Amino acid sequence: MKNIQYIIVWILVLCVLGACDTEAIDEIGNPVFYVQVPTTAPETAFPNKVISFPIEVYAEAGLEKVELKVDFQTLDGSEITSFDDPKHYQYQFSYKPTNADLGSTQEFAVVAHDKRGFTYDVSYLVEVVLEPVNMEFTLPEILPDTLEVGDTLDFEVQIKSEDELDKIETLLYDNPIEGLTVSSFENSFAHTYHFQYVLVSEDGGKDVTFTFRATDDELKSDEISYTLFVIGERVPLAIDTHLDVVLGMQGNPEVGPFIDLSENVIYTVPEAKANSANVDMGTFRSGSSGINLFAPTYSNAAQFIYNTTNWGDDWLGNWTVRNSLEIRRVSAELMTSDDFYAIADDKLILETFDASEPSAENITKTEEGEILAIKTVNEEYALILVKTIVASSSGSITFDYKVQQ
């Protein structure tokens, strides 16, 4: 009986000792065979930039091979089979993502093989992200809020970059100003950019924004903008006039219901989906609200008319881009059809839009003879004169319109 008691006591002691050993191993990892990625290993990488760090590998039984795998495939040239110290090795991890890897998370496995035929592996994840741009722009502390047509802007912009500068340019109306782009630098990490520009009549009567953009040798860019109001008469822009333009209603089998106003291109529903970035306006006929002219962002058109039930994958909610549009009714007192046809530039178009309130993304119960003022998502202004309407779901609307070039 005593022997049985001694055996039970020894079993309990061994269990306690075994638990202690297990806890120790959990704290330090496998003490005889391990692969250890440093805690300082980067979690993100940038395209075309190498990340590199050592990984500790140890095998009490002796190392046979160390390799690096991605998607269970061994990377070419990653295998190491010769070791100065047969037990311990510092494996140098190195990875250079490409632009094609941007946005992905790469999972690597560092696999060690020992001489017993056992393996030990550790996974390492790295997300490939766009490298942050580190540039600093300094404009003069005092710059004018207003100037007049004919005045000259002349000042310097200080630009510093963590990476080497490739070019500096000034954008006006979204286009680089000719002659102001610089691509040669004495110090490619810091440059004093000289900006000089004479305000012309096209700048008069409006806020003008200059954007100073710097691009580094990795094609990353940053920018800063400066806006002032230019005093002077705004030079009217030329316009295009389009006559007898026909849009079909949603059930018209011959004529499409969508239009690119700047180019006067009419699209069927499938064509409009494929060219959604160019579509400014659409039309449909409703039993309750009559003839509608609407912006692609108009939710009721997507829900009830150009929906998936009627149009499948081509439905309005499935478009890549749904442009906004402002439509305003023009009162008969403000403009007649004779006034409309007499318009020769965009001055009266802008004045008419500003004088007609409120804006909407959908106009209902459109009638023959009325005039509508339009502002597109690209801030192009137009006037529409409705000529004839065939008021059915398979009908059409015919109009003339004038739009800024």
Side-chain angles (χ1 to χ4, degrees), residues 53-265:
F53 55 87
I55 295 175
E56 297 292 331
V57 183
Y58 181 81
E60 183 69 30
L63 289 166
E64 186 73 26
K65 179 174 67 173
V66 181
E67 60 185 336
L68 184 64
K69 292 187 175 184
V70 176
D71 296 331
F72 307 104
Q73 301 297 317
T74 301
L75 290 179
D76 291 340
S78 71
E79 293 186 8
I80 304 295
T81 57
S82 177
F83 308 94
D84 293 335
D85 181 343
K87 295 183 178 182
H88 180 258
Y89 182 70
Q90 274 200 344
Y91 185 83
Q92 192 66 30
F93 176 88
S94 183
Y95 170 53
K96 183 180 180 180
T98 66
N99 290 329
D101 299 320
L102 187 63
S104 66
T105 298
Q106 302 293 325
E107 182 174 1
F108 298 92
V110 183
V111 185
H113 304 253
D114 72 6
K115 292 186 180 296
R116 301 171 301 169
F118 294 167
T119 61
Y120 193 108
D121 65 87
V122 169
S123 294
Y124 168 60
L125 298 176
V126 59
E127 183 182 7
V128 183
V129 299
L130 189 65
E131 184 177 9
V133 183
N134 193 348
M135 293 183 184
E136 180 182 332
F137 296 78
T138 304
L139 292 170
E141 290 186 6
I142 300 175
L143 286 172
D145 295 326
T146 61
L147 285 175
E148 296 185 3
V149 170
D151 288 342
T152 299
L153 277 167
D154 192 339
F155 57 85
E156 292 179 338
V157 183
Q158 305 294 329
I159 301 172
K160 296 180 181 179
S161 175
E162 186 175 84
D163 294 306
E164 290 191 78
L165 290 167
D166 179 68
K167 68 177 177 180
I168 302 172
E169 56 192 341
T170 301
L171 278 65
L172 177 61
Y173 309 123
D174 296 324
N175 294 308
I177 298 176
E178 187 176 351
L180 288 182
T181 299
V182 176
S183 56
S184 178
F185 309 96
E186 290 186 10
N187 180 353
S188 55
F189 297 96
H191 182 74
T192 300
Y193 177 70
H194 185 203
F195 168 72
Q196 188 177 55
Y197 177 81
V198 178
L199 297 165
V200 297
S201 57
E202 286 79 3
D203 306 320
K206 58 187 175 183
D207 288 323
V208 176
T209 299
F210 298 94
T211 300
F212 307 101
R213 178 181 296 168
T215 304
D216 65 26
D217 60 355
E218 295 181 354
L219 302 183
K220 304 188 306 294
S221 62
D222 200 359
E223 59 190 38
I224 190 170
S225 294
Y226 158 60
T227 301
L228 80 162
F229 182 79
V230 181
I231 301 170
E233 185 70 22
R234 175 187 172 275
V235 175
L237 299 178
I239 61 172
D240 288 324
T241 300
H242 302 284
L243 304 176
D244 295 322
V245 178
V246 180
L247 289 182
M249 298 300 125
Q250 67 270 26
N252 191 310
E254 298 178 354
V255 186
F258 293 98
I259 185 170
D260 173 352
L261 289 168
S262 63
E263 300 295 331
N264 189 29
V265 178

